[in-house]
Amino acid sequence: MNLLRVRVRRPGRLAAEASALLIAVVVAFPLYWMVLSAFKPAGEIESSEPRPWTLAPSPDSFRRVFGQQEFGRYFLNSLVVACCVVIASALIAFLAATAVTRFRFRLRTTLLIMFLVAQMVPVEALTIPLFFLMRDFGQLNTLGSLILPHIAFSLPFAIWMLRGFVKAVPEALEEAAYLDGASRARFLWQILFPLVLPGLVATSVFSFISAWNDFLFAKSFIISDTSQSTLPMALLVFYKPDDPDWGGVMAASTVMTIPVLVFFVLVQRRLVSGLGGAVKD
Amino acid sequence: MAGRSAFVSGGWTPWLYLAPALVVLGGLLVYPIYQLGLISFFQYTQAQVSGGEPTSFEGFANYAELFGDPQFWQVLLATVLFAAACVVSTLAVGCALAVLLTRVRAVPRLALMLAAMGAWATPAVTGSTVWLFLFDPDFGPVNRMLGLGDHSWTYGRLSAFFLVLLEVVWCSFPFVMVTVYAGIRAVPAEVLEAASLDGASQWRIWRSVLAPILRPILVVVTIQSIIWDFKVFTQIYVMTGGGGIAGQNLVLNVYAYQQAFASSQYSLGSAIGVVMLLILLAVTLVYLRLLRRQGEEL
């Protein structure tokens, strides 16, 4: 029970609840407008008197989006990139977080500080050297050129966040496991891994977003083979600054946002408790 | 907190666990940083990239060119001011709404939480186009609601920055709100009860009880916000069409990108990258000092 809540008198609480609902409406409005506009027929979108509803929902914009060459392919590419980044960085970060929390070795503190500093690196500034690196290894125009950097960039934050979760698992549990004859690997994957799973979910949200959002690398590294491109590029096909196809832009935006929304709603509880667990540490 | 005795020395095992992380970070973070620094000291343009001309060591020439360019200072100033405005607004909105969440019952709380999750989940590119559409002079609902006619938000320098700021705050306040809310919920009720039994006012409870407990969380969200907002790229690039009319809305990131990939001035772009790296490194050092002052054991 939160005391702050109990102490508020009734009229005060009603005012607070009314403003919470109002703010929720304001915050959700851009998304509502996006979905609404995606379903509006062409004539209604380009109306100088926009209405907050539509009487004739039409799938035209979606048809145009999916009719665009390779839109489905872009969608799949984005999904592949995001999933590879999430899985790889979760596994690598889990191992690294275990190493820095459950072992004492030379350079441990140095490594931790380095992981912290690595979080601050402006990855956008690395686009230039990464471009040459990818070119030298023949990775330009491949999904690998999008996956690999994002694994590296989400790792430091993931390790830092997971540290709190690994730390929270009692040492006694580890000793008990060894006394029962479990090997280190067995303890790692069958006991520790499931216990820090909530933390992995929370960190996955961050790596998923960073990969799914990627705009700069897709723009810089996928230059000639557009079949390797991702959703943001597909969206920008409809967004021409001087004459945007708003219906197409909103439909593509909707398609691009829905998977993330679903992911968020699924992990919502875990995310809130995960952030609580990570920052409490 | 784990005691000293809890650690196992483990010989090579920790390094085995760390190996994948170190390989990935070494190859894709540390090495590129080294390369970035290196390129910034060389003459590196389209001619060198295509192998037509040899690269030549230029020393600090690129930096001299950069620092001698009034546009660089203008962009630097704009970047710092814009990031500061974003950080302050994000923190203010996020903290205020976190407190609001603790004062309402389940239904309004869930509504606000879900709306915030929606904003958080929105990819930067789609967020940018949606906000542009909301504020579109011809077809957007905002001008209609505010009775602004066909006022163009992206035409003026300040109003374009303001529009981007609104989008940035919209998609980044949820992180602050959820984190601070989780932090407040973790404060033991007895502590607050004791304070109020002692006759402390709401404000007093906030200032003397909650704020000190929440300080580590506030430091984390502030530093994260500084880092994120200083590096805003997608929103500026998409919403102002690559940096605004005549580059009026450029920030360092977009400026570096334009120099490198649009003008093939890779060494100048790299020098800008190094400047950004140094600024964020300075922020990090402040952060580390704050952590140390709090006595956190690493």
Side-chain angles (χ1 to χ4, degrees):
Chain A
M1 241 351 229
N2 196 313
L3 200 77
L4 281 174
R5 202 168 77 205
V6 180
R7 288 198 71 223
V8 180
R9 284 184 310 276
R10 236 193 128 65
R13 187 170 75 184
L14 281 181
E17 294 188 334
S19 39
L21 286 174
L22 186 70
I23 294 165
V25 169
V26 172
V27 171
F29 186 74
L31 289 175
Y32 168 72
W33 197 259
M34 172 184 82
V35 177
L36 172 76
S37 308
F39 281 106
K40 275 186 178 177
E44 258 186 64
I45 294 174
E46 311 239 314
S47 146
S48 52
E49 291 301 327
R51 276 190 315 228
W53 67 85
T54 176
L55 298 174
S58 123
D60 280 357
S61 300
F62 288 100
R63 218 172 269 155
R64 218 161 44 252
V65 164
F66 283 102
Q68 184 213 338
Q69 246 183 336
E70 308 197 280
F71 184 85
R73 170 106 205 219
Y74 287 11
F75 190 94
L76 204 64
N77 286 345
S78 272
L79 213 57
V80 169
V81 169
C83 289
C84 288
V85 170
V86 165
I87 294 169
S89 52
L91 291 180
I92 299 174
F94 169 63
L95 284 174
T98 306
V100 291
T101 26
R102 306 202 81 95
F103 293 97
R104 175 159 291 275
F105 54 96
R106 282 186 62 199
L107 299 178
R108 194 184 65 93
T109 316
T110 317
L111 271 178
L112 270 171
I113 292 177
M114 275 173 58
F115 290 144
L116 186 74
V117 174
Q119 281 178 53
M120 320 299 175
V121 174
V123 295
E124 293 79 359
L126 298 184
T127 314
I128 299 166
L130 281 171
F131 176 81
F132 295 125
L133 192 70
M134 294 301 160
R135 188 196 58 179
D136 294 344
F137 282 89
Q139 293 295 309
L140 284 184
N141 301 311
T142 67
L143 291 185
S145 69
L146 308 180
I147 295 170
L148 289 169
H150 277 295
I151 296 177
F153 300 146
S154 44
L155 265 185
F157 186 69
I159 295 174
W160 201 251
M161 217 167 144
L162 271 181
R163 208 173 60 100
F165 289 89
V166 180
K167 234 181 187 178
V169 174
E171 308 285 344
L173 206 63
E174 189 165 356
E175 282 156 31
Y178 294 150
L179 281 178
D180 286 347
S183 68
R184 203 166 250 161
R186 204 181 150 119
F187 168 76
L188 197 66
W189 296 110
Q190 295 196 336
I191 299 171
L192 197 55
F193 189 75
L195 282 174
V196 298
L197 208 55
L200 280 168
V201 170
T203 52
S204 296
V205 168
F206 288 90
S207 40
F208 184 88
I209 294 188
S210 97
W212 188 261
N213 271 359
D214 172 68
F215 168 67
L216 182 56
F217 291 161
K219 193 172 167 55
S220 314
F221 300 159
I222 310 292
I223 35 181
S224 53
D225 184 1
T226 48
S227 72
Q228 299 299 303
S229 210
T230 48
L231 275 181
M233 297 301 121
L235 191 151
L236 291 183
V237 168
F238 299 97
Y239 181 69
K240 298 184 181 55
D242 25 326
D243 183 27
D245 167 5
W246 284 119
V249 174
M250 292 303 121
S253 297
T254 304
V255 176
M256 190 172 164
T257 307
I258 299 292
V260 200
L261 264 177
V262 171
F263 184 55
F264 257 78
V265 171
L266 286 180
V267 303
Q268 191 238 120
R269 248 164 231 282
R270 285 265 164 98
L271 179 64
V272 175
S273 64
L275 278 174
V279 293
K280 214 164 42 189
D281 169 53
Chain B
M1 204 176 289
R4 204 166 258 271
S5 62
F7 287 101
V8 190
S9 85
W12 285 102
T13 320
W15 292 104
L16 205 67
Y17 289 4
L18 280 164
L22 294 180
V23 169
V24 172
L25 289 174
L28 292 159
L29 203 70
V30 179
Y31 179 70
I33 292 176
Y34 161 75
Q35 281 277 311
L36 183 80
L38 205 61
I39 297 172
S40 75
F41 288 114
F42 279 85
Q43 163 87 352
Y44 216 75
T45 59
Q46 194 53 45
Q48 284 79 24
V49 172
S50 58
E53 273 177 48
T55 51
S56 60
F57 184 74
E58 297 276 312
F60 285 95
N62 291 313
Y63 292 96
E65 187 182 340
L66 195 63
F67 296 154
D69 182 358
Q71 196 189 9
F72 167 75
W73 295 105
Q74 195 202 322
V75 173
L76 179 66
L77 184 69
T79 308
V80 173
L81 291 179
F82 175 71
C86 286
V87 171
V88 171
S89 320
T90 307
L91 288 175
V93 172
C95 291
L97 293 189
V99 174
L100 185 64
L101 277 182
T102 64
R103 295 172 158 240
V104 297
R105 278 172 296 186
V107 174
R109 189 166 64 230
L110 189 69
L112 185 48
M113 203 66 125
L114 284 179
M117 288 287 163
W120 193 356
T122 305
V125 178
T126 66
S128 303
T129 54
V130 170
W131 277 78
L132 271 179
F133 188 43
L134 284 174
F135 286 77
D136 188 84
D138 300 316
F139 313 121
V142 174
N143 279 12
R144 229 50 75 214
M145 274 191 259
L146 300 178
L148 286 172
D150 56 359
H151 169 77
S152 165
W153 290 82
T154 49
Y155 187 74
R157 182 170 194 235
L158 277 181
S159 73
F161 267 131
F162 179 68
L163 181 58
V164 181
L165 176 129
L166 286 182
E167 202 281 339
V168 170
V169 172
W170 177 70
C171 67
S172 46
F173 89 81
F175 167 71
V176 177
M177 182 185 87
V178 170
T179 313
V180 174
Y181 175 68
I184 297 178
R185 291 299 300 264
V187 174
E190 306 86 70
V191 175
L192 299 172
E193 215 160 327
S196 77
L197 281 179
D198 287 347
S201 65
Q202 279 289 321
W203 169 243
R204 188 64 207 252
I205 291 180
W206 243 103
R207 216 180 45 124
S208 311
V209 183
L210 277 177
I213 301 178
L214 289 181
R215 193 170 294 138
I217 295 175
L218 292 174
V219 169
V220 170
V221 294
T222 308
I223 297 291
Q224 285 296 345
S225 298
I226 292 174
I227 293 162
W228 284 336
D229 293 345
F230 196 79
K231 303 191 300 190
V232 165
F233 178 88
T234 310
Q235 283 93 339
I236 289 275
Y237 193 90
V238 174
M239 295 180 80
T240 70
I245 297 152
Q248 60 178 5
N249 294 111
L250 282 173
V251 289
L252 280 181
N253 251 330
V254 185
Y255 188 48
Y257 177 85
Q258 299 286 27
Q259 291 285 354
F261 291 95
S263 319
S264 293
Q265 299 278 349
Y266 295 101
S267 11
L268 269 186
S270 297
I272 301 168
V274 171
V275 171
M276 282 190 62
L277 202 63
L278 291 178
I279 294 174
L280 285 169
L281 200 65
V283 175
T284 314
L285 291 178
V286 174
Y287 180 39
L288 278 172
R289 281 198 60 174
L290 281 174
L291 278 186
R292 185 155 299 176
R293 198 174 301 165
Q294 284 167 12
E296 164 155 350
E297 193 205 348
L298 284 174

